[in-house]
Amino acid sequence: MSQKKKKNPAGQPALPKKKKWLRVLVIVLVSLAVWSGACYFCYAYGMSQEKSRLAEMLDPDLAEQADSLKWVTAVDEPMTDEQLKERTKLILGNIEFQVKCFGRKTNADGTPFLDANGEQTHITYESALEQGLFQEPDVADMDVYTTSDPERGWDLRVVETPMGNVTYRSKDESVTRVSRFYTADSEANAPIETATEAVERANAYYQWGLPFPTGYEMSSVTEEEGQWVVTYQRVARLKNLPKLRSQGQTVQVVISAEDGEMVSADCLDLMLIQVGSDQTPISQEEAVKTAEESLAEGGISGTVFQAADYAIVEPNFIFTPKEGGYTYDPETHLTRAVWSVIFLHEDETPGSYEVYIDAYTGQPLGGLIHEE
């Protein structure tokens, strides 16, 4: 005798397990599609707003009139002088620790400094300070004054101490310079005879002592008048361009060749604003032609093309005619990717012209005049 198949409580045939999983999968996929679509809409809207905000950078007149700190986010509440002094105490303390305890793995009494596992290791900041191996500056001996950057007009706050000075950009309180009064009294002192030794010592200051942007690539090391100068630059990877080092995002550390003590360190951190990066870069031929026209517009003739290469520079529009005549006029203290086109004098006199042409849009952005 045959039996009827049972029905589910709703009176519908029960779904096979496989079909149930398919239904769940479809629901999940549809939900993900809706969520992804919403995210993409928000992203697209944000990018549209950003492109509109940057569009004015295509116009040299608007760019020249812009505030040099327009793109820098201001701090919500500036630090008081006392807060600035406390931050300076930590900055100069870190530098002094690197100066006095570079490579040190022993305590003040000469015994090995051990970690929690009993292994000898580099002495810590706290232990070295407690043992008197270095000193932090006293906030009672600090003075704070305001000044301005002569080239860019930025308002600056400087904290002056018996150990050295720290300079802050007022708007965002980023550190632009750390200068140290040379002492030449450290046990860690040793002559810096090679570029490799200079980089090793500078790396310790840059990576562990200085409050500058990290991750920049070491680009050069030179010896100048008893000092080693080690320069680091941000590496940028822009669409359809080779890897480029930014001339506007650099850290430079100066150390004594006599003993490796840090003398000063500077940071230039100009935002990289690239317009037209959704386009194909212009060719070298187009860049050279535009550069020749830019020189002619600036009343310069009798030149011959020498070379062209990509670079990231700070535009200045010096070859653009102005009502007041020929003047050097920095843009907005931002950086752009350009073709850097070099021309020599046709009569072979010393000097050259370097012309900046935007790598994507072909807009003339100024350049430099080299006397030698």
Side-chain angles (χ1 to χ4, degrees):
M1 184 174 179
S2 62
Q3 294 183 348
K4 292 183 179 180
K5 293 183 178 179
K6 291 184 179 179
K7 296 183 179 180
N8 61 25
Q12 298 295 329
L15 286 173
K17 289 185 178 180
K18 187 175 182 181
K19 288 188 176 181
K20 286 184 178 180
W21 279 109
L22 285 174
R23 176 180 289 180
V24 171
L25 181 61
V26 169
I27 293 173
V28 170
L29 290 175
V30 170
S31 300
L32 286 174
V34 171
W35 180 80
S36 299
C39 290
Y40 178 78
F41 174 79
C42 294
Y43 170 79
Y45 177 77
M47 290 301 294
S48 174
Q49 294 294 99
E50 184 70 6
K51 286 184 179 180
S52 298
R53 186 170 72 96
L54 299 180
E56 66 184 75
M57 296 299 295
L58 289 168
D59 187 331
D61 294 329
L62 289 176
E64 290 179 31
Q65 296 167 12
D67 175 11
S68 65
L69 289 180
K70 177 179 179 179
W71 309 97
V72 175
T73 302
V75 292
D76 294 330
E77 185 176 346
M79 284 190 286
T80 65
D81 285 357
E82 293 308 310
Q83 290 173 323
L84 212 60
K85 290 177 181 180
E86 288 294 335
R87 186 181 177 194
T88 299
K89 175 182 177 180
L90 180 59
I91 291 171
L92 291 179
N94 280 327
I95 295 300
E96 289 304 303
F97 173 61
Q98 293 301 329
V99 167
K100 302 295 176 65
C101 299
F102 176 75
R104 186 180 187 114
K105 295 185 178 182
T106 59
N107 295 298
D109 61 4
T111 59
F113 181 79
L114 306 178
D115 61 17
N117 297 321
E119 299 291 333
Q120 187 172 8
T121 187
H122 195 290
I123 194 169
T124 63
Y125 182 101
E126 293 76 14
S127 293
L129 180 63
E130 184 180 351
Q131 295 179 46
L133 293 174
F134 76 98
Q135 292 181 327
E136 296 175 327
D138 191 338
V139 294
D141 297 328
M142 297 183 187
D143 292 312
V144 181
Y145 66 89
T146 59
T147 184
S148 62
D149 185 305
E151 182 178 354
R152 297 181 170 83
W154 297 336
D155 291 329
L156 304 172
R157 297 172 73 187
V158 181
V159 181
E160 195 173 46
T161 85
M163 288 186 176
N165 298 341
V166 179
T167 302
Y168 301 83
R169 189 165 61 183
S170 297
K171 185 170 183 179
D172 62 349
E173 295 179 343
S174 61
V175 177
T176 62
R177 178 174 174 81
V178 178
S179 59
R180 179 180 172 274
F181 298 140
Y182 185 63
T183 57
D185 62 355
S186 171
E187 294 181 17
N189 286 350
I192 306 298
E193 299 176 341
T194 67
T196 300
E197 292 174 333
V199 171
E200 181 183 13
R201 197 69 190 268
N203 282 346
Y205 295 124
Y206 174 43
Q207 295 174 6
W208 303 106
L210 293 165
F212 294 157
T214 58
Y216 287 6
E217 187 176 275
M218 197 278 292
S219 58
S220 68
V221 52
T222 57
E223 187 175 12
E224 305 172 7
E225 300 178 353
Q227 296 179 335
W228 287 97
V229 180
V230 183
T231 303
Y232 304 83
Q233 292 179 299
R234 177 195 170 188
V235 173
R237 292 174 173 82
L238 302 174
K239 185 176 181 181
N240 297 320
L241 292 182
K243 182 181 79 170
L244 299 174
R245 289 173 175 158
S246 174
Q247 297 178 21
Q249 293 170 299
T250 65
V251 169
Q252 192 169 78
V253 181
V254 180
I255 63 176
S256 167
E258 183 179 350
D259 50 33
E261 290 195 15
M262 194 190 91
V263 177
S264 65
D266 293 271
C267 176
L268 178 62
D269 188 19
L270 304 181
M271 187 179 294
L272 173 60
I273 297 293
Q274 191 55 58
V275 294
S277 58
D278 56 341
Q279 305 174 24
T280 301
I282 64 172
S283 66
Q284 177 177 306
E285 291 73 18
E286 292 174 302
V288 172
K289 183 175 182 298
T290 305
E292 290 172 339
E293 295 171 351
S294 181
L295 286 178
E297 187 181 15
I300 299 170
S301 59
T303 62
V304 58
F305 168 68
Q306 172 69 15
D309 206 350
Y310 291 118
I312 294 177
V313 301
E314 182 181 359
N316 53 46
F317 299 101
I318 65 170
F319 300 121
T320 302
K322 300 175 179 65
E323 186 177 343
Y326 176 82
T327 57
Y328 176 84
D329 189 4
E331 189 203 43
T332 55
H333 312 310
L334 305 174
T335 54
R336 302 268 286 275
V338 302
W339 274 103
S340 173
V341 188
I342 307 297
F343 294 90
L344 302 180
H345 293 283
E346 206 168 39
D347 59 5
E348 298 184 355
T349 56
S352 63
Y353 298 99
E354 183 177 0
V355 185
Y356 303 150
I357 304 298
D358 189 283
Y360 294 101
T361 67
Q363 177 191 355
L365 298 176
L368 296 172
I369 300 176
H370 303 281
E371 299 295 336
E372 297 180 358

